[in-house]
Amino acid sequence: MNVKKLADLDVAGKRVFIRADLNVPQDEAGNIVEDTRIRASLPSIRYCLERGAAVMVTSHLGRPAEGECRAEDTLAPIAVRLGELLGKPVRLIRDWVEGGFEVRAGEIVLLENCRCNKGEKKDNEELAKKMAALCDIYVNDAFGTAHRAEATTHGIARFAPVACAGMLMGAEIDALTKATENPARPLVAIVGGAKVSTKLTILKTLAQKVDQLIVGGGIANTFLLASGKRIGESLAEPELVKEAQAIMDMMKARGAEVPLPVDVVVADEVSALARANRIPVDEVGPHDRILDVGPKSSAKLAEIIAHAGTIVWNGPVGVFEHNQFAGGTKMMASAIAHSEAFCIAGGGDTLAAIAKFHIAQDIGYISTGGGAFLEFLEGKKLPAIAALEARFAD
């Protein structure tokens, strides 16, 4: 995947426009609850500031209505946090599309919520050209939005004098390419989640590539149904049993496997107070809910992971938020942490599990993208990356 990278460019004295992903969670008072995305954007910003560029940064935040910027849509709290992390003031510029503001070399300004601008989400060409006119170099560092063609992620890349990938975007592209193109074998994919329907495309794509496809959560329950097991009142999608069977058949035809649980943890409700029972999968009763894999299944998954060359991880194997149903995900996380394999992990629940079990430092690469991460793994062309590729030879 050929894209220009920020680290290869001379930015001294240049006007640099960085599209970051600063869409952080806030409480009702607007206070930032968790600032990982802001911290992840710092390397590109610092690189430009230290080399004397005039830096403009923008991002989306929440779901604003185009054409208006309400109090809850403002990037003002992000400007404050960014200033604290950089150790220098960060001015917030409103109504910035037409220009009319000054940015000095070595200075940074934050441009108000880009999704407040009319035409942003529809990738309006006129808007994109106006944005492109503000800069000498456009930097896309927002992998989490790379699957959307919007004015600040796609359109501006077409018209800016130079368009490149930032430090974070470049690292994402490198890690995902390493995991999907000529990966070290065996290639093991872990796909958890509530529904097969939301992950059907990626399951089919991975079934053609991986050596072991570990499924978890409600997805695994649908696969258990397909294999003829009773699952009681567990979350599943009976209407997708044929699809699950087709995926297992596809894997089997390649000499690959979808390892299904031989024992499970069940309860009659999903709650912190629910009593967990470990039973063989063949003993699931009519009112049981499968909420985790059992110890024998966990040990089997750990063994598969121990022999992997590459691991792609998206989703837990149980309701790990409650400790009595966290055993499977915890053992899997521990196996990944101790594995010699290159592991790339992505998705909100996956990141929450990594944080809960304190293994972030043992993961090869943690992706900042949710939907973009999945679409890349599905083999889809991400519009924002395609736009950068198209400008590589310029």
Side-chain angles (χ1 to χ4, degrees):
M1 206 170 291
N2 289 323
V3 300
K4 285 179 182 169
K5 293 187 176 178
L6 176 60
D8 297 328
L9 300 179
D10 178 11
V11 299
K14 302 286 176 60
R15 296 171 301 153
V16 178
F17 184 113
I18 300 176
R19 173 49 160 107
D21 183 0
L22 309 175
N23 186 31
V24 293
Q26 296 171 282
D27 62 21
E28 291 181 2
N31 300 307
I32 295 169
V33 177
E34 203 277 329
D35 68 357
T36 299
R37 285 177 173 166
I38 299 176
R39 291 177 184 275
S41 72
L42 295 178
S44 289
I45 295 171
R46 285 194 175 119
Y47 178 88
C48 295
L49 290 174
E50 288 167 3
R51 284 158 182 78
V55 181
M56 298 164 274
V57 181
T58 194
S59 173
H60 69 290
L61 179 69
R63 299 178 182 276
E66 286 194 357
E68 57 178 297
C69 191
R70 300 162 299 178
E72 60 265 35
D73 301 324
T74 183
L75 295 184
I78 283 80
V80 173
R81 180 61 60 88
L82 195 52
E84 291 170 352
L85 294 170
L86 290 170
K88 63 193 308 176
V90 177
R91 282 190 292 139
L92 180 67
I93 309 291
R94 305 177 194 276
D95 303 319
W96 51 271
V97 172
E98 303 289 344
F101 58 90
E102 290 283 328
V103 192
R104 297 183 305 276
E107 184 188 10
I108 174 175
V109 298
L110 187 62
L111 308 178
E112 186 61 279
N113 195 332
C114 59
R115 285 199 186 152
C116 293
N117 297 318
K118 282 188 176 177
E120 166 66 16
K121 293 197 76 172
K122 291 185 177 178
D123 197 18
N124 179 271
E125 190 169 299
E126 184 182 352
L127 175 63
K129 285 180 177 177
K130 287 181 178 179
M131 293 175 174
L134 298 174
C135 68
D136 302 307
I137 299 172
Y138 164 70
V139 180
N140 192 333
D141 215 23
F143 178 76
T145 64
H147 57 313
R148 299 191 179 101
E150 298 180 350
T152 57
T153 64
H154 179 266
I156 187 174
R158 295 169 57 206
F159 303 113
V162 175
C164 69
M167 308 291 195
L168 182 61
M169 175 72 87
E172 292 273 1
I173 292 171
D174 290 346
L176 281 160
T177 302
K178 182 177 178 180
T180 56
E181 294 179 15
N182 301 316
R185 298 276 177 174
L187 172 57
V188 176
I190 302 159
V191 182
K195 296 182 176 181
V196 171
S197 53
T198 59
K199 305 262 178 93
L200 186 57
T201 312
I202 189 172
L203 287 167
K204 286 182 174 178
T205 301
L206 290 172
Q208 299 168 32
K209 299 177 179 179
V210 303
D211 301 300
Q212 300 270 3
L213 178 58
I214 296 170
V215 291
I219 293 174
N221 296 338
T222 302
F223 276 76
L224 284 171
L225 268 183
S227 66
K229 303 295 184 184
R230 292 188 299 272
I231 62 166
E233 295 180 357
S234 305
L235 176 66
E237 293 175 287
E239 69 277 12
L240 289 176
V241 160
K242 286 185 178 177
E243 298 278 12
Q245 186 61 59
I247 288 167
M248 288 192 286
D249 290 344
M250 195 187 308
M251 291 285 287
K252 191 175 181 181
R254 294 177 48 243
E257 190 187 357
V258 181
L260 294 177
V262 294
D263 59 343
V264 290
V265 181
V266 300
D268 55 9
E269 64 175 359
V270 184
S271 80
L273 300 175
R275 182 182 172 186
N277 296 306
R278 296 177 180 84
I279 58 173
V281 73
D282 291 325
E283 294 180 15
V284 175
H287 301 297
D288 284 333
R289 294 186 182 190
I290 300 172
L291 301 175
D292 193 14
V293 295
K296 289 181 181 178
S297 301
S298 296
K300 184 181 178 184
L301 298 184
E303 186 179 357
I304 290 169
I305 289 165
H307 292 96
T310 306
I311 302 164
V312 176
W313 181 17
N314 177 253
V317 293
V319 187
F320 73 97
E321 295 85 351
H322 301 308
N323 288 336
Q324 67 270 47
F325 309 121
T329 303
K330 184 177 183 179
M331 183 176 277
M332 189 175 72
S334 178
I336 291 171
H338 289 92
S339 171
E340 299 278 316
F342 172 70
C343 176
I344 181 166
D349 287 342
T350 312
L351 270 57
I354 288 169
K356 178 167 182 168
F357 303 123
H358 309 291
I359 60 164
Q361 70 281 3
D362 300 310
I363 303 294
Y365 191 81
I366 298 174
S367 175
T368 56
F373 176 76
L374 289 177
E375 289 196 17
F376 193 109
L377 293 179
E378 286 169 23
K380 291 182 179 177
K381 201 77 169 169
L382 305 189
I385 295 176
L388 296 180
E389 285 184 292
R391 298 296 309 278
F392 177 67
D394 292 355

